[in-house]
Amino acid sequence: MTDQPDIAASPEVSPETESRKLLGRLREALAEDAAGQARLDRIVHLIATSMETEVCSIYLFRDAETLELCATEGLMPEAVHQTRMRLGEGLVGRTARSRTIINTADAPAAPGFRYMPETGEERFSSFCGVPIQRLGDRLGVLVVQSKAAREYTADEIYALEVVAMVLAEMAELGAFVGEGAALSARHTHPVLFRGTQGQEGAAAGNVYLHEPRVVVTNPISEDPEVELGRLRAAVEQLRSMVDDMLSTARSVDAEQIQVLEAYRMFANSRSWMRRMEADVAAGLSAEAAVEKEQGLARARMGQSGDAYLRDRLHDLDDLSNRLLRILTGQGRDTGAEMPDNPVLVARNIGPGELLDYGKRLKGIVLEEGSVGSHAAIVARAWAIPLVIHARGVLTEALNGDAILVDGDQGVVHLRPDEQVKKAFGDKIAMAERALERYASIRELPATARCGTTISLQMNAGLMADLPSLPSSGAEGVGLFRTELQFLIRNQMPKRAELSALYSRVMDAAGGKRVAFRTLDIGSDKVLSYMKPNDEPNPAMGWRAIRVGLDKPGVLRMQLQALIRAANGRPLSVMFPFIAHPNEFRDARAEFDKAMDRERILGHVLPQTTEVGAMLETPSLAYAPAAFFEEVDFISIGGNDLKQFFFAADRENERVRRRYDTLDVSFLSFLELIAEKCRAADTPLSFCGEDAGRPLEALCFAALGFTSLSMRPASIGPVKHLLRSVDLREVRAEIDRARESGEQSIRGPLRQWLSRAGWYVA
Ligand code: PEP
Ligand code: MG
């Protein structure tokens, strides 16, 4: 393979013995038992004398916007901790903001120069500022200045960059914290993150990192030869790891192979290796050399507008993490104990991984993620507060940190102060009082003031969900997502296991109806033990019933298991993602065949059976009336239906919230389905996430839906609201808004409710 484009470009430098010497001295200085400020003072002195320059200063961030002179050799000592500048202000501020080196022989003439009399700086003509940053996180600026008008050489700049990196690493480790501290410890301040609401609710707990960050504790090496050996051995190991991954992935998933090919390309990149070797030769440890390259790649990742390049930089970032894990033995499975009240903090997580953690999580915070994903649905089903898009939380949070998750506002408080904790405690107490209110109506029906009763059911997918059935007040399980059972396993479950499981589900439901939805895999629900497909658009690809009909083995096994599990009890089955009446007919034929087979085998058949279709694509709404008559019931999978109605990916946060469920177009469409079902006398329910939102539930009920299935925690609030209104009045309000040309019913309905003393979020 040819050598690869220089993605993480750094100046081509030969290892400088001067920088090695400087690093050697730095290591000694850091090993001394000095307190924070003394350590920084020693470092600036060391750099200034080694580089024979009059001034060396370290500026560190006080807060996200303010830099403070924390140590200097050569400027007025009185200026330390007095001189401050905003991000972008003066040459120091510009260095920090641009994250690039500013090297000028005539500083007063440079754009942005700011005169600071307290430092006496006008006497210095040359200026070189190097950003101090750790993996894209800005920490400060390292500055050298001299009277003579000269530009610093590439070798000198290289030495400064290396020192800046060591400083960043030491700051991360808290090396400058202590008596007379120059800065307070990293990861000790309260930090607030504003993300996006994923699942309502409030949780107080402690951080548990899904993938703990690797911490480099030895940035400067003692023996470059030894480090070089370590680096080469680790890269060798990394290469064979990538080769192994490629050989097992071969010919299975083209996208995965593409990523792995990119990994191999980087792992074998000579320029990547050369740069790291140069860093090690200059005195960095193998880990620090890897992290230096990673930091450069991250900085470019943040700046690049080219999606392809960003993806590749992401690959390089991931590969660097793997290399760091090999070198340090840290990372996943570190054995870090889960703290009490764990709040999971991750970049992103799949539904399978989340199911592995189980319900013990108190909250979930993701840097990425999306509300429509199945991981979010699992979090919602378990009523675990979830905040997504909490940018920067991974760089800040440490295992065990106190954390408050406000799923209602999409806000996360990391290491909160006492005042925030108190306010949050009040919020949790209020939520608990609301729960008590809901508990008081648990046994009452969801009968509106007009006398219409709506059947409220719950969505489930795991045995562990069933205990919520009595406590939520649900009348049954309107959607049992059978694929969740498949997702938590490492291999295909056997028919007997499934049958035993379904039987336990029916036992736990205690005679209440459970609508089992047959396997809905594909899209974002990928089984690790099934051959993945290379599809450009899996949500519209080979998924759900399409897989079931094309490869009917698993569907047949599942149907048999369900019939056996019913063992004389009523059985309710529905097929996911029916886009055409014939798909339903074929699926139903499979069910009928399974019944015949079981009869012949002498098994007890279900007492009654009902076979339904999930309406999740607009096409089915326009099926001929005959279809609506032959199907036993219809359940609207609103999550998918809405994404196809508006052509807006449910997992893409950019487009997902563009379209309101209460948009008149969508409501009119739902109404049309309700009318078709009414005409055919076919029971209709709505089981997407929107059914659990009080305002949406109200509209659906007013449009004629008499059965709604939702996560258990939503039943209380939905029932509470339904019992307080007259659905005829809601309907009139919808019609009024529609006739007056409103595009969404949400605003008018909220206003109408607030006039009646209701505030509904
Ligand atoms: C839906 O699409 O609304 C639905 C209930 O199915 P799922 O969310 O599992 O795709
Ligand atoms: Mg669906």
Side-chain angles (χ1 to χ4, degrees), residues 256-273:
Q256 195 194 358
I257 287 177
Q258 199 189 345
V259 169
L260 290 175
E261 292 286 7
Y263 281 8
R264 186 155 74 176
M265 175 183 100
F266 287 122
N268 288 288
S269 161
R270 280 199 297 276
S271 56
W272 186 50
M273 192 66 198

Side-chain angles (χ1 to χ4, degrees), residues 703-715:
L703 291 178
F705 285 71
T706 50
S707 170
L708 302 174
S709 192
M710 61 200 72
R711 65 190 184 95
S714 293
I715 290 181

Side-chain angles (χ1 to χ4, degrees), residues 372-374 377 459 479 481 483 517 520 523-525 543 574 576-577 614-616 635-643 650 686-690:
S373 71
H374 281 89
I377 287 179
N459 294 344
L479 165 66
R481 290 183 165 100
E483 62 277 3
R517 171 176 78 183
D520 179 9
S523 194
D524 67 331
K525 290 179 272 196
R543 56 174 287 200
M574 60 186 182
F577 213 65
M614 281 193 73
L615 195 156
E616 305 189 82
S635 187
I636 291 185
N639 307 332
D640 275 312
L641 186 64
K642 186 179 162 194
Q643 88 167 330
R650 65 194 263 188
F686 189 107
C687 67
E689 300 304 296
D690 285 326

Side-chain angles (χ1 to χ4, degrees), residues 325-375:
R325 279 187 224 134
I326 294 173
L327 280 163
T328 61
Q330 301 174 29
R332 240 198 246 224
D333 305 324
T334 46
E337 249 181 59
M338 217 182 227
D340 287 342
N341 301 319
V343 171
L344 189 78
V345 177
R347 184 167 303 283
N348 207 348
I349 192 161
E353 288 169 308
L354 192 52
L355 289 165
D356 282 343
Y357 282 112
K359 283 186 173 176
R360 59 198 157 150
L361 298 177
K362 283 277 171 283
I364 304 169
V365 179
L366 301 179
E367 280 240 4
E368 297 172 1
S370 75
V371 175
S373 71
H374 281 89

